[in-house]
Every structure is written in C-alpha cells, then in structure tokens.
Amino acid sequence: MDGRTERGWSWNWPGFDASVFAYPEIEFGWKPWTGGKSTDARFPMRVSDVDHLLLNYEVETQATGSYDLAPEIWLIRKNPSDAANPKLITTEVMFWMDYAEGARPAGKIIESPTLDGVTYELWKEDKIGESANGQGWLLLSFKSPTLQRKGSISIHTLLKYLVEHKLVNAEEYVASVEFGNEVMGGSGTTWVKRFDLDI
C-alpha cells in the first residue's frame, strides 16, 4: 500500500484448543526459545532500567474462530549467552488488545488497575509452561476492556505497576518484545500496518 511493504500472516486451524495452536509474530530483542544475537544491543534490558518503552501498533485483521492480538514481553532471571535457554524465563507479560468472543487469558483476575486512562483486567496464572521448559513461569495478562487494533502501549508504565505490586522483580531482565496473534482455532489473516518501539 502506498509503495510500502507490509508484513502479515494467515492461519487456518480446525477445532479449538485453549492452550493455543500457534503464535505468528514479530520478535524484537532476544528470544529465550531460539537464542542467537539480540535484534537490538539494548536487550535484554534490566527491568529497573526500563524508563521508557512504548509500543506503537496498527493491524488489520479478518478472522473467524478464537484468537487474540496479544503483544508480550519475556522476563528472564539473568543476562544470557547467545544459546537458547527457556529455563531462564521467570515471567511472561501479555497485553490483550484484541480478542474474539470466548478467548480469555489463563488464570484468574486479580486486579483491575487503571493505567494511562485504561482500566485493564489483570489476569494471573502462577505456573504455566512447565512441559515446555521443565519448570514453568508466571503469566500476567493485561486485558483491554475494548478491542484496540490500533494504538500505543506504555510497557514501562505497566511494568512499573507490576514492580510496585511485587509481581515482577526489578532486577530481572526484559529479554524481548513480541507482537502477534495467539490462535486457538479458526482462520484469519492479520496485516501489520505499524509496529515500532520507542525506547
């Protein structure tokens, strides 16, 4: 469109699986599952050093079935080598900005904080992914009250809230920022019209 290259993905998964079939995504930083060089030398970044981390995004999605648009960050306990090491993961923080009826975060609602003028549902699952990395991790999900396929997420504000409420350790590291659709079933296509991070 207008001579610009757009990225996107399509999915087609019959049935329904609440544990998620796939997460097509854009990755920024160092992904614990794949390792390698970070896409940005500033990441992993210690949580206490995250003064400003703003995600600006816009997507166009056409889908049926169950899915969400859930950007996320992975927190790890120490700065890694280049080798993949999912055992470093302590916490996954998701931001549910778009979701189909029936899709819900794992765990239960523990708070309804108002941050940057948005009153989120904050969901918490104490131990998830044990079969994936052998030990599991804490999953925290900020669910938007309205569907937002375009906007900005002040990740630094939400992280500060989690640190103040002792849900996240300020001495751990933000390994990566990821942006994608969790697919629980059905079919669809997402075009990413904007994805940028202001750090």
Side-chain angles (χ1 to χ4, degrees), residues 28-30 38 40-54 73-80 155-156 159 163 168-177 197-199:
F28 181 92
W30 182 83
S38 175
D40 187 293
R42 292 170 290 186
F43 287 82
M45 180 184 289
R46 194 185 299 270
V47 170
S48 59
D49 293 335
V50 180
D51 294 322
H52 184 81
L53 182 54
L54 182 70
I73 58 175
W74 290 100
L75 304 185
I76 57 176
R77 60 177 49 89
K78 66 178 183 178
N79 230 331
I155 296 174
H156 56 278
L159 261 181
V163 169
V168 161
N169 183 342
E171 296 308 305
E172 293 181 346
Y173 293 81
V174 178
S176 61
V177 179
L197 287 168
D198 185 7
I199 302 169

Side-chain angles (χ1 to χ4, degrees), residues 93-115:
V93 184
M94 305 192 84
F95 314 104
W96 280 52
M97 308 314 289
D98 180 21
Y99 40 87
E101 188 174 346
R104 54 168 286 200
K108 62 182 181 180
I109 300 170
I110 59 165
E111 299 284 349
S112 296
T114 300
L115 302 166

Side-chain angles (χ1 to χ4, degrees), residues 7-103:
R7 308 289 182 194
W9 46 77
S10 295
W11 65 87
N12 186 10
W13 292 93
F16 174 81
D17 186 345
S19 66
V20 182
F21 283 115
Y23 183 70
E25 63 173 324
I26 295 171
E27 299 172 10
F28 181 92
W30 182 83
K31 188 173 177 71
W33 302 99
T34 55
K37 294 288 185 188
S38 175
T39 65
D40 187 293
R42 292 170 290 186
F43 287 82
M45 180 184 289
R46 194 185 299 270
V47 170
S48 59
D49 293 335
V50 180
D51 294 322
H52 184 81
L53 182 54
L54 182 70
L55 169 60
N56 302 297
Y57 71 94
E58 181 179 357
V59 298
E60 181 181 290
T61 299
Q62 294 183 335
T64 60
S66 190
Y67 72 94
D68 64 46
L69 173 70
E72 68 175 1
I73 58 175
W74 290 100
L75 304 185
I76 57 176
R77 60 177 49 89
K78 66 178 183 178
N79 230 331
S81 65
D82 290 346
N85 190 353
K87 290 187 176 181
L88 292 178
I89 296 169
T90 62
T91 311
E92 179 181 9
V93 184
M94 305 192 84
F95 314 104
W96 280 52
M97 308 314 289
D98 180 21
Y99 40 87
E101 188 174 346

Side-chain angles (χ1 to χ4, degrees), residues 74-192:
W74 290 100
L75 304 185
I76 57 176
R77 60 177 49 89
K78 66 178 183 178
N79 230 331
S81 65
D82 290 346
N85 190 353
K87 290 187 176 181
L88 292 178
I89 296 169
T90 62
T91 311
E92 179 181 9
V93 184
M94 305 192 84
F95 314 104
W96 280 52
M97 308 314 289
D98 180 21
Y99 40 87
E101 188 174 346
R104 54 168 286 200
K108 62 182 181 180
I109 300 170
I110 59 165
E111 299 284 349
S112 296
T114 300
L115 302 166
D116 292 334
V118 178
T119 300
Y120 294 94
E121 292 175 354
L122 177 56
W123 293 67
K124 179 174 179 270
E125 176 64 48
D126 287 310
K127 200 161 189 181
I128 196 164
E130 190 169 0
S131 62
N133 77 344
Q135 58 200 25
W137 59 86
L138 173 65
L139 173 60
L140 299 164
S141 301
F142 287 94
K143 185 179 179 184
S144 169
T146 58
L147 306 186
Q148 298 186 53
R149 293 182 177 172
K150 176 182 180 180
S152 299
I153 305 170
S154 298
I155 296 174
H156 56 278
T157 300
L158 278 64
L159 261 181
K160 182 180 178 184
Y161 173 87
L162 295 176
V163 169
E164 288 175 348
H165 288 77
K166 302 189 184 315
L167 293 166
V168 161
N169 183 342
E171 296 308 305
E172 293 181 346
Y173 293 81
V174 178
S176 61
V177 179
E178 303 182 12
F179 183 84
N181 292 115
E182 286 188 311
V183 179
M184 298 87 165
S187 61
T189 297
T190 288
W191 288 105
V192 180

